[in-house]
């Protein structure tokens, strides 16, 4: 393709600093630029990845109402069956360490489709598990592949949306990883009661297969370096001369070097950035609390209150409705406050402008947990008891959204790696704590047991306020070259 062609010449500039390669870039209203896509195209991408981000956490908790049935069927203990959830959730957190940086090397679309195809197919051996060892092993592996929607979703949204419009979209997407574990027991309870626990995984297979098919048909690549790399190769292939092209930020290092460095990126961010590490610990406590609540609902409401499996499933709507309320009424204000503070700062945006609303969440979380703890301890009527989880849900979504948006603004190009860094702690703790919680409750009861979680969240609740005032200073002091 000649350089002077009307189609390509607006996109090409001469290289600088002695580099004679022509520069490939997006022009102002370039239709291949993900930030210039139509709203319908963007929302199609968001819809597909959001469903992926719902289905894997949904799978993590969907079979919890059938723990007793599974244990009896496989000749195992309840603790062994909970281990299947632990393996799944731990690898749900470890997966992003690998999948997020790979998406910043090979692109988002390939990772989504390959990983979710494996996740879908793994529902078959899970449904056919002849013993608890097979169940735990297959669930653990499927957690790794299912993490792709969680690990790369934030990066994909960052690819397509400008900072001033990102928070509200991201809020609905992030609802998936939190609402999934909430809806899972509701649907799972109905399936277990009227079919059997194995049908939980057959139904997951069907739904995941539909979403995977939609991905192959409609999901588009959104990572700009991968799109520009394809454009560069097309120009060189069609050029009449030996003209070479490049794009801004092109990485010409050997493939092995790129892969090794990209794999280290999430852990480098986690352990060199005090804000990321602190907020990762905070989110880990919240995630662990969330899964502890969900894995103990059956004992609390079934044995303590005498509710049927179906009724217990409906009570998961307590935190679920809190999630929805936060996304509907609070999360859109993240952009509003961000834009207002940017305007007052002479148009200069800062990642810390995402954090003010986190203070609402950091107040609601311990209040909700103390409330729930002592209502359960004294066997208070179910309505005020479950109402406490509504406020816990509001707090959790608010903190998660503000923190994830902070990560994206701080590490824009490597947003997926930054989010993966936070997800590691979150899922490791979220997977391990539910194994330890029953022993805690046996020793000190639900009142003081859940109060331990409340005190832990209370300890870190000032962090969003402190980072709002001192975050910029910390970022400059601990600046990292990625």
């Amino acid at each position: 393709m000649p350089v002077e062609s009307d189609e390509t010449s607006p996109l090409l500039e001469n290289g600088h600093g002695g580099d004679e390669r022509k520069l490939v870039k997006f022009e102002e209203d370039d239709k291949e630029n993900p930030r210039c896509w139509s709203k319908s195209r963007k929302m199609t991408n968001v819809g597909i990845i959001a469903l992926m981000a719902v289905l894997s956490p949904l799978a993590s908790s969907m079979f919890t109402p059938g723990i007793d049935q599974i244990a009896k069927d496989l000749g195992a203990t309840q603790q062994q069956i909970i281990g299947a959830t632990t393996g799944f959730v731990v690898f749900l957190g470890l997966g992003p360490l690998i999948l997020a940086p790979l998406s910043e090397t090979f692109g988002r679309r390939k990772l989504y489709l390959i990983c979710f195809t494996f996740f879908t197919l793994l529902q078959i051996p899970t449904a056919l598990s002849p013993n608890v060892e097979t169940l735990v092993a297959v669930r653990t592996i499927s957690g790794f592949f299912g993490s792709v929607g969680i690990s790369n979703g934030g990066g994909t949204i960052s690819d397509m949306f400008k900072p001033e419009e990102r928070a509200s979209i991201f809020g609905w997407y992030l609802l998936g990883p939190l609402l999934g574990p909430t809806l899972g027991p509701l649907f799972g309870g109905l399936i277990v009661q009227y079919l059997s626990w194995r049908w939980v995984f057959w139904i997951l297979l069907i739904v995941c297969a539909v979403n995977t098919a939609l991905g192959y048909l409609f999901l588009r690549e959104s990572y700009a370096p991968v799109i520009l790399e394809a454009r560069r190769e097309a120009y060189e292939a069609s050029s009449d001369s030996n003209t070479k092209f490049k794009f801004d930020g092109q990485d010409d290092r050997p493939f092995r070097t790129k892969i090794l460095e990209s794999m280290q990126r999430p852990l480098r961010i986690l352990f060199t950035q005090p804000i990321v590490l602190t907020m990762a610990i905070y989110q880990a406590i919240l995630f662990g609390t969330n899964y502890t609540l969900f894995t103990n609902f059956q004992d609390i409401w079934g044995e303590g209150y005498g509710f049927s499996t179906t009724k217990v499933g409906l009570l998961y709507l307590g935190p679920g409705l809190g999630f929805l309320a936060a996304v509907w009424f609070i999360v859109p204000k993240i952009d509003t406050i961000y834009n207002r503070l940017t305007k007052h700062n002479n148009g200069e945006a800062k990642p810390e402008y995402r954090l003010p609303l986190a203070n609402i969440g950091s107040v609601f979380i311990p209040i909700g947990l103390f409330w729930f703890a002592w209502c359960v301890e004294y066997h208070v009527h179910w309505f005020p008891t479950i109402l406490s989880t509504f406020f816990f849900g509001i707090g959790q979504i608010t903190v998660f959204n503000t923190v994830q948006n902070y990560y994206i603004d701080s590490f824009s190009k490597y947003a997926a790696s930054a989010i993966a860094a936070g997800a590691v702690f979150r899922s490791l703790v979220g997977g391990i704590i539910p194994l330890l919680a029953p022993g805690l409750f046996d020793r000190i009861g639900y009142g003081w047991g859940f109060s331990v979680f409340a005190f832990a969240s209370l300890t870190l609740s000032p962090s969003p306020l402190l980072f709002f005032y001192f975050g910029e200073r910390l970022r400059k002091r601990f600046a990292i070259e990625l």
Side-chain angles (χ1 to χ4, degrees):
M1 180 184 292
V3 174
E4 55 272 10
S5 164
D6 289 337
E7 265 186 48
T8 61
S9 56
L11 309 179
L12 306 174
E13 293 180 355
N14 288 324
H16 300 286
D19 191 339
E20 296 182 354
R21 293 178 296 177
K22 301 290 185 178
L23 184 64
V24 181
K25 65 175 185 177
F26 292 127
E27 59 181 341
E28 188 173 345
D29 295 314
D30 197 319
K31 291 183 178 180
E32 289 188 20
N33 182 351
R35 292 195 174 180
C36 296
W37 288 352
S38 66
K39 186 175 181 180
S40 61
R41 180 177 291 178
K42 290 180 181 180
M43 294 312 295
T44 298
N45 258 30
V46 171
I48 292 169
I49 63 171
L51 192 52
M52 290 181 183
V54 169
L55 287 172
S56 48
L58 185 83
S60 72
S61 65
M62 199 169 175
F63 79 118
T64 53
I67 286 176
D68 289 341
Q69 189 184 110
I70 300 170
K72 185 178 180 181
D73 192 23
L74 299 182
T77 65
Q78 282 192 6
Q79 203 74 356
Q80 287 176 311
I81 304 303
I82 292 175
T85 297
T86 298
F88 186 99
V89 174
V90 166
F91 273 75
L92 203 64
L94 293 177
L97 282 178
I98 297 173
L99 301 180
L102 286 181
S103 78
E104 293 161 351
T105 302
F106 298 106
R108 318 286 193 202
R109 186 176 186 273
K110 288 179 182 177
L111 265 293
Y112 283 128
L113 297 180
I114 293 170
C115 290
F116 218 72
T117 297
F118 276 103
F119 178 74
T120 300
L121 294 175
L122 283 167
Q123 303 311 312
I124 299 172
T126 309
L128 297 173
S129 296
N131 50 54
V132 69
E133 291 80 10
T134 303
L135 179 69
V136 172
V138 178
R139 289 270 296 165
T140 300
I141 297 169
S142 65
F144 173 84
F145 289 107
S147 69
V148 68
I150 297 169
S151 62
N152 295 328
T156 303
I157 290 171
S158 177
D159 295 340
M160 298 186 294
F161 295 94
K162 298 175 183 177
E164 60 269 19
E165 61 184 5
R166 185 186 299 143
S168 57
I169 300 295
F170 192 72
W172 286 104
Y173 155 77
L174 192 59
L175 190 62
L178 293 173
L179 195 58
T182 306
L183 294 177
L186 172 61
F187 298 139
L190 294 170
I191 296 167
V192 168
Q193 186 164 344
Y194 294 106
L195 295 170
S196 77
W197 69 268
R198 294 184 188 275
W199 270 99
V200 168
F201 301 104
W202 291 124
I203 290 172
L204 273 174
L205 172 68
I206 295 167
V207 177
C208 291
V210 170
N211 193 44
T212 305
L214 290 174
Y216 277 100
L217 292 172
F218 301 112
L219 190 65
R220 292 176 61 93
E221 179 57 61
S222 65
Y223 193 51
V226 171
I227 297 171
L228 290 173
E229 173 65 19
R231 180 178 284 186
R232 182 191 69 79
E233 291 175 355
Y235 287 168
E236 290 185 355
S238 59
S239 176
D240 294 335
S241 61
N242 291 323
T243 305
K244 295 295 182 182
F245 301 90
K246 69 171 185 177
F247 60 88
D248 193 27
Q250 181 173 321
D251 191 345
D252 293 321
R253 294 174 302 168
F255 178 76
R256 177 184 171 85
T257 304
K258 288 193 288 186
I259 288 293
L260 289 175
E261 184 157 320
S262 68
M263 300 289 276
Q264 296 169 10
R265 192 179 299 128
L267 291 178
R268 287 182 63 208
I269 292 172
L270 179 64
F271 291 113
T272 63
Q273 303 299 298
I275 298 176
V276 175
L277 181 59
T278 303
M279 298 311 291
I281 294 171
Y282 192 13
Q283 289 185 85
I285 291 170
L286 300 185
F287 211 62
T289 305
N290 203 40
Y291 272 95
T292 300
L293 276 173
F294 292 163
T295 54
N296 285 277
F297 259 31
Q298 186 65 46
D299 286 340
I300 292 170
W301 299 109
E303 295 181 14
Y305 284 75
F307 287 1
S308 68
T309 302
T310 303
K311 286 182 179 178
V312 173
L314 289 171
L315 291 174
Y316 287 85
L317 290 175
L321 291 174
F323 297 158
L324 287 169
V327 169
W328 193 268
F329 296 108
I330 297 177
V331 170
K333 302 299 181 184
I334 296 174
D335 276 339
T336 304
I337 292 173
Y338 175 83
N339 293 332
R340 187 178 299 160
L341 290 172
T342 300
K343 184 179 179 181
H344 288 169
N345 194 39
N346 299 317
E348 182 183 348
K350 296 179 182 179
E352 287 73 26
Y353 293 164
R354 297 292 187 185
L355 296 176
L357 286 177
N359 295 293
I360 295 176
S362 63
V363 171
F364 276 11
I365 287 165
I367 289 175
L369 289 174
F370 281 125
W371 178 353
F372 179 80
W374 295 103
C375 280
V376 170
E377 181 71 18
Y378 289 107
H379 213 272
V380 176
H381 187 271
W382 68 269
F383 182 75
T385 305
I386 206 66
L387 184 62
S388 65
T389 66
F390 173 81
F391 290 99
F392 173 72
I394 290 176
Q396 197 174 8
I397 275 284
T398 305
V399 170
F400 270 54
N401 268 278
T402 52
V403 171
Q404 301 291 73
N405 274 282
Y406 173 84
Y407 290 162
I408 292 173
D409 287 355
S410 298
F411 305 95
S412 183
K413 183 179 177 182
Y414 300 113
S417 287
I419 292 171
V424 176
F425 258 54
R426 189 177 74 206
S427 292
L428 284 174
V429 175
I432 293 170
I433 284 182
L435 284 175
L436 307 176
L440 177 70
F441 297 143
D442 287 341
R443 286 194 300 273
I444 61 177
Y446 287 119
W448 285 113
F450 278 110
S451 291
V452 169
F453 292 96
F455 281 120
S457 69
L458 191 61
T459 303
L460 287 168
S461 61
S463 53
L465 185 62
L466 292 174
F467 290 143
F468 177 76
Y469 287 107
F470 304 109
E472 183 178 13
R473 194 180 307 172
L474 284 170
R475 283 190 293 110
K476 289 179 178 178
R477 182 176 177 183
F478 294 94
I480 182 173
E481 182 64 44
L482 296 173

